[in-house]
Amino acid sequence: MWGNMAIAFILAFVTTFVTTPYTIKIAKKVGAVSEEKDSRRAHRKTMPKFGGPAVILGFLTSTIYLLIVMSIENSINLFGVLEYWKKLLGFLVGILTISAFCIIDDIKTIKPITKLIGQVLSAVIVVASGIRIEGITLPFLNFPQMHEISSILITILWIIIVTNAINLIDGLDGLSSGISVISAISLLVIFVLNGSSKISIVLITALAGALVGFLPFNFTPAKTFIGDTGSNFLGYSLSVISILGAAKTYTAAVIVLPLIVLGLPIFDTIWAIIRRLVKGKSLKAVFKADKGHLHHKLVAKGFSQKQAVLVLYGISAIFGMFAVILCDSGIWKALSFLLIVIVAIATGYNNFGVERTGNEQYECTQCKYIYNPKFGNEKAGVERGTKFDDLPEEWVCPVCGEGKDMFQIHE
């Protein structure tokens, strides 16, 4: 199995890494570019946002190749009692369906409700193919075999929540793709520990490989965005594969462990819904973008875009490790790990706060311009002695026009 995992990862990685530059060229030709210049955006220039198809191609190429080879070797049986062929076909059709809606959105922009219809339709297709959350067994929640209607509704809700969770957290260079890599690796470890099906292990490994192949183009300073096509595909795939990987056990692993692994984007999404409902006082407000996401809060606190992304990577990794320890060693060791992490973070945060003086030099990650508070920038209307944190939010790099979010401390 380890050989299959290595091939799944490498093939997905190479395919995505090689094809991503072509998607950048295609994006410019078809108009799949981000030209938004509102205050929520980290970039102040046109950026291609068509990386999703490269990730999807890497994932599909790897999984289709491995499934064919493993079928020939008789190491998997796609046509057995579990009817994996039917489930995988439904998964594929669902990917194509949600991608069709999102490709249109990346090129011409469609209404959020239209995108939601595409997500629901894709979820229904998957459920119709036989992929469902059929039972949950917990000390406080015991449904070893749920009613069919409940199973269908919970599965659809799970897929839509996770899909939107990854989509909404896609606000900084490399954020959604990096968090998805961490989540995929965490789920892979859990699948191996749980003795999940070989098919689910191949799928999650291929997804991780495709994302690692894309990250060099997406991490700050990004050359391309993953776009709605990519972020929706990531959330959709993570939600479906998590069900396939835990389907054998009908235990807490079905929802609870994937829920913990994806805890950061899910929490951010739920909080965004509550925040928008309270502020907007209507359901329509839920679909209106704002600047209240976790990554926006970190940037507002003075973190550079790169620092904010790394902080959220760390939090996501903590969620993933907590879930793995919980799966392998039980609740008490998982809580012990969490306590150690909290103490370490508290200590590190205090040290960080003491060391920052506000007089550091800041470098633009795009053009390498360095802002020195000692000299300011009189040509740009910035007086000598103006600290970087005191610059107005709308201030941009005087050389390339990037926003403050694209600056990091110059070492």
Side-chain angles (χ1 to χ4, degrees):
M1 189 60 206
W2 294 106
N4 291 329
M5 290 168 61
I7 293 172
F9 184 92
I10 293 171
L11 183 55
F13 168 83
V14 171
T15 303
T16 302
F17 186 80
V18 170
T19 55
T20 297
Y22 292 98
T23 64
I24 294 175
K25 296 179 181 179
I26 294 172
K28 294 175 181 178
K29 289 183 178 180
V30 301
V33 294
S34 175
E35 296 180 343
E36 298 287 344
K37 298 183 182 294
D38 59 83
S39 60
R40 297 185 305 109
R41 302 285 177 171
H43 288 265
R44 296 294 187 271
K45 65 179 182 179
T46 299
M47 287 286 292
K49 56 173 183 176
F50 209 53
V55 177
I56 296 172
L57 181 62
F59 172 76
L60 292 180
T61 300
S62 179
T63 52
I64 291 173
Y65 173 78
L66 260 297
L67 291 174
I68 291 173
V69 171
M70 293 171 73
S71 295
I72 294 173
E73 294 175 342
N74 291 321
S75 57
I76 59 171
N77 184 5
L78 297 177
F79 301 94
V81 178
L82 295 176
E83 295 186 312
Y84 275 116
W85 72 269
K86 184 179 178 182
K87 295 175 181 178
L88 291 172
L89 180 61
F91 184 29
L92 174 60
V93 175
I95 289 173
L96 296 176
T97 301
I98 199 169
S99 297
F101 276 82
C102 292
I103 286 174
I104 296 173
D105 184 54
D106 280 335
I107 296 174
K108 295 188 175 180
T109 304
I110 58 177
K111 294 181 179 180
I113 189 66
T114 305
K115 251 192 315 187
L116 181 60
I117 291 172
Q119 294 171 356
V120 173
L121 182 58
S122 302
V124 170
I125 291 171
V126 161
V127 171
S129 71
I131 300 176
R132 297 180 190 174
I133 299 171
E134 297 182 359
I136 306 172
T137 301
L138 292 169
F140 54 88
L141 188 64
N142 188 15
F143 296 106
Q145 192 66 40
M146 289 189 291
H147 188 276
E148 184 177 8
I149 295 178
S150 299
S151 173
I152 291 172
L153 293 177
I154 289 176
T155 304
I156 292 175
L157 185 63
W158 168 252
I159 293 173
I160 292 173
I161 287 175
V162 177
T163 300
N164 282 289
I166 300 298
N167 184 40
L168 289 176
I169 207 168
D170 183 30
L172 296 177
D173 292 355
L175 185 54
S176 66
S177 51
I179 286 178
S180 295
V181 169
I182 295 169
S183 300
I185 293 173
S186 301
L187 287 174
L188 173 60
V189 176
I190 291 170
F191 289 173
V192 172
L193 292 174
N194 270 348
S196 298
S197 66
K198 293 180 180 180
I199 290 174
S200 61
I201 291 175
V202 167
L203 290 173
I204 200 68
T205 305
L207 185 63
L211 285 166
V212 173
F214 178 70
L215 262 177
F217 302 94
N218 189 225
F219 193 72
T220 184
K223 297 179 180 67
T224 181
F225 296 154
I226 198 166
D228 271 1
T229 304
S231 60
N232 276 264
F233 162 74
L234 294 180
Y236 182 74
S237 297
L238 285 169
S239 64
V240 174
I241 297 172
S242 67
I243 299 173
L244 284 171
K248 290 174 61 178
T249 58
Y250 301 117
T251 64
V254 179
I255 286 184
V256 176
L257 292 179
L259 185 65
I260 295 172
V261 168
L262 296 163
L264 176 63
I266 289 176
F267 168 80
D268 188 50
T269 298
I270 293 175
W271 179 244
I273 292 172
I274 295 173
R275 181 180 65 248
R276 293 173 186 179
L277 282 174
V278 172
K279 288 185 177 180
K281 297 181 180 180
S282 69
L283 288 175
K284 290 183 179 180
V286 174
F287 298 101
K288 292 182 179 179
D290 59 15
K291 202 176 180 181
H293 291 286
L294 291 173
H295 50 275
H296 291 135
K297 296 294 184 182
L298 286 174
V299 171
K301 287 290 185 180
F303 289 88
S304 68
Q305 181 179 179
K306 185 176 181 179
Q307 289 172 332
V309 169
L310 292 176
V311 167
L312 293 174
Y313 280 2
I315 296 173
S316 185
I318 291 169
F319 275 107
M321 286 187 283
F322 180 83
V324 169
I325 296 171
L326 178 63
C327 174
D328 184 56
S329 304
I331 184 65
W332 293 114
K333 288 187 179 179
L335 290 175
S336 299
F337 161 77
L338 191 60
L339 179 61
I340 293 170
V341 169
I342 291 173
V343 172
I345 290 175
T347 304
Y349 182 82
N350 289 333
N351 290 337
F352 179 76
V354 170
E355 291 176 3
R356 280 193 59 154
T357 63
N359 294 317
E360 297 89 350
Q361 296 181 42
Y362 284 78
E363 181 182 50
C364 176
T365 56
Q366 287 289 335
C367 68
K368 305 305 179 182
Y369 163 79
I370 295 176
Y371 175 79
N372 189 333
K374 182 179 179 180
F375 303 107
N377 193 313
E378 294 182 358
K379 290 183 179 180
V382 180
E383 297 180 357
R384 292 171 176 264
T386 303
K387 296 179 181 180
F388 185 81
D389 292 341
D390 293 335
L391 293 172
E393 287 300 317
E394 63 272 14
W395 183 84
V396 297
C397 174
V399 177
C400 68
E402 289 291 348
K404 286 179 65 177
D405 296 342
M406 292 302 294
F407 278 74
Q408 62 186 17
I409 295 177
H410 176 65
E411 297 178 356

